[in-house]
Amino acid sequence: MRFASSISAVAALLASAASAAGVVGAAEGFAKGVTGGGNASPVYPKTNAELVSYLGDNQARVIVLTKTFDFTGSEGTASGSGCAPWGTGSACQVAINQNGWCDNYQKSAPKVSVSYDKAGTLGITVKSNKSLIGQGSAGVIKGKGLRLTGGVKNVIIQNIHVTSINPKYVWGGDAITLDGTDMVWIDHVKTSLIGRQHIVLGESASNRVTISNSEIDGSTSWSATCDGHHYWGIYVTGSSDLVTLKGNYIHHTSGRSPKAAGNALIHAVNNYFYANSGHAFEVDAGGSVLAEGNVFQNVKAPVDSTVGGQLFTVSNGGGACSSALGRSCQANAFGSSGAFSRADTGFLKNFGGKNVASADTAANANGYVRDRAGVGKI
Ligand SMILES: *[C@@H]1O[C@H](CO)[C@@H](O)[C@H](O)[C@H]1NC(C)=O
């Protein structure tokens, strides 16, 4: 008996050692079934160039980050003229004149000089069949984001921190870009100090995406709302985007947290929204959002007052979910937050036949989401 139990103890140790170099858990919701690099032998990049090469080649890979990869300065600095649409106060972000944005859209804004890191402006190319995972809390990518475009499929990004991408500057760079993808899982990722979007799904179809247990940290000294809260959170405007947002901790933002437009269906479930000085959801024409079991704490406006799309907030009961989801939806919970009441139900049928995440009560989510979300927690 003693012998048998020590064998099983060794087996358990081996199993945990094996999983330490691989993805932990599995995606829930729309991207259920994503496998990333599968069981490819893990690789451990040592330099920026190795990381870029592993992410951008055409092989299935499990790429493990054991340190910070700092791209700051790696492509030099650019200087020029920009603009200050939100004022020249020291707490305000200013904008790079990217593609003439200041000249064309901000004609009356004061001109300012800008100096920014070029590496931040375009993310690292990530190809299909990759798992990018961090070891403990060591996996950090600094000064450059990740970019998945042009038909990339089957990618897992887990337990890494993307940070410090020209945070003073709008158009300074995005942390994670999807534009023309399918089956992407972003889990236990932290993003902080970003110039533009923390997560952006562009105009091409990004199809099935799950963003779970992640921390969007909008705390910043340079904000478009000049108040320490980052405006550019999560932007979902593709021609066919199915996004499960589950168990995320989204805090110190002031807008687009998230924005839905294009032809986007967002299932926002059991997220913890905290310290938002503007709005959380922005639901524009073409966007549809089911928000259930979320917690809003100190969120000035859980939804931007102009709703051009469809939004179901479960405020009149979750029964309308039953036929499409096969269950009732969970009510949201609020502390020191604004109103969140919208009962569009016509779009709920779009959940039919899809993988839909389960929902816990908001009271339970209130107890664990902040502690579990982000990097170094798995
Ligand atoms: C990804 O993996 C799948 C399954 O092994 C394979 O069919 C596909 O060709 C791979 N994609 C790329 C771009 O390598």
Side-chain angles (χ1 to χ4, degrees):
M1 278 309 275
R2 184 173 286 180
F3 184 62
S5 69
S6 68
I7 284 179
S8 63
V10 169
L13 269 176
L14 286 172
S16 70
S19 67
V23 168
V24 178
E28 247 200 286
F30 292 131
K32 183 178 179 179
V34 61
T35 56
N39 52 17
S41 319
V43 290
Y44 299 82
K46 289 184 204 66
T47 62
N48 289 1
E50 280 178 10
L51 174 60
V52 167
S53 163
Y54 287 142
L55 286 170
D57 69 14
N58 287 318
Q59 289 189 47
R61 291 200 183 273
V62 174
I63 304 160
V64 184
L65 304 187
T66 59
K67 58 165 210 159
T68 296
F69 292 81
D70 188 354
F71 289 82
T72 313
S74 61
E75 296 169 28
T77 303
S79 303
S81 167
C83 58
W86 307 285
T88 51
S90 63
C92 299
Q93 263 196 317
V94 298
I96 294 165
N97 187 25
Q98 176 172 289
N99 301 325
W101 188 77
C102 292
D103 297 340
N104 295 329
Y105 303 109
Q106 302 294 340
K107 290 192 175 108
S108 56
K111 296 275 181 277
V112 293
S113 56
V114 299
S115 174
Y116 58 93
D117 194 61
K118 283 198 212 167
T121 58
L122 193 67
I124 305 167
T125 297
V126 180
K127 294 278 188 66
S128 296
N129 299 334
K130 308 283 185 185
S131 299
L132 175 64
I133 56 187
Q135 200 170 72
S137 53
V140 181
I141 301 179
K142 195 173 170 191
K144 201 170 185 66
L146 298 165
R147 187 174 162 82
L148 290 65
T149 67
V152 161
K153 291 187 174 66
N154 191 29
V155 174
I156 299 171
I157 304 169
Q158 185 176 64
N159 196 37
I160 67 164
H161 185 184
V162 181
T163 189
S164 303
I165 302 177
N166 289 316
K168 288 185 186 177
Y169 296 110
V170 173
W171 305 117
D174 308 301
I176 300 181
T177 302
L178 274 56
D179 193 19
T181 62
D182 191 23
M183 292 296 271
V184 176
W185 183 29
I186 298 166
D187 182 60
H188 283 285
V189 167
K190 177 173 178 174
T191 52
S192 65
L193 292 171
I194 306 300
R196 186 62 166 182
Q197 294 300 141
H198 279 238
I199 300 181
V200 53
L201 277 59
E203 288 175 16
S204 301
S206 289
N207 292 299
R208 295 166 292 177
V209 179
T210 295
I211 302 168
S212 52
N213 308 308
S214 290
E215 179 183 359
I216 306 294
D217 179 357
S219 312
T220 179
S221 301
W222 309 278
S223 136
T225 40
C226 309
D227 66 349
H229 297 66
H230 194 68
Y231 185 86
W232 324 100
I234 302 175
Y235 182 90
V236 184
T237 65
S239 60
S240 177
D241 293 352
L242 296 167
V243 181
T244 299
L245 273 182
K246 183 169 182 183
N248 302 292
Y249 177 33
I250 300 169
H251 62 101
H252 294 94
T253 59
S254 59
R256 294 187 174 177
S257 298
K259 170 172 176 159
N263 182 17
L265 176 64
I266 297 182
H267 183 203
V269 48
N270 297 147
N271 301 289
Y272 192 97
F273 297 90
Y274 175 64
N276 184 317
S277 61
H279 63 262
F281 290 92
E282 179 182 343
V283 188
D284 291 345
S288 308
V289 175
L290 164 59
E292 58 163 336
N294 300 289
V295 180
F296 296 87
Q297 183 65 50
N298 298 51
V299 174
K300 187 175 177 200
V303 61
D304 184 65
S305 58
T306 342
V307 178
Q310 305 276 299
L311 172 63
F312 187 56
T313 60
V314 201
S315 37
N316 63 346
C321 292
S322 296
S323 58
L325 278 68
R327 61 168 173 78
S328 290
C329 284
Q330 296 286 352
N332 299 291
F334 306 89
S336 305
S337 295
F340 193 54
S341 179
R342 183 94 183 187
D344 303 323
T345 54
F347 74 96
L348 293 174
K349 64 180 184 302
N350 298 335
F351 284 96
K354 312 262 183 351
N355 289 312
V356 179
S358 63
D360 204 347
T361 63
N364 285 345
N366 187 38
Y368 59 67
V369 169
R370 274 164 304 166
D371 294 339
R372 290 186 195 166
V375 73
K377 312 268 181 83
I378 52 173

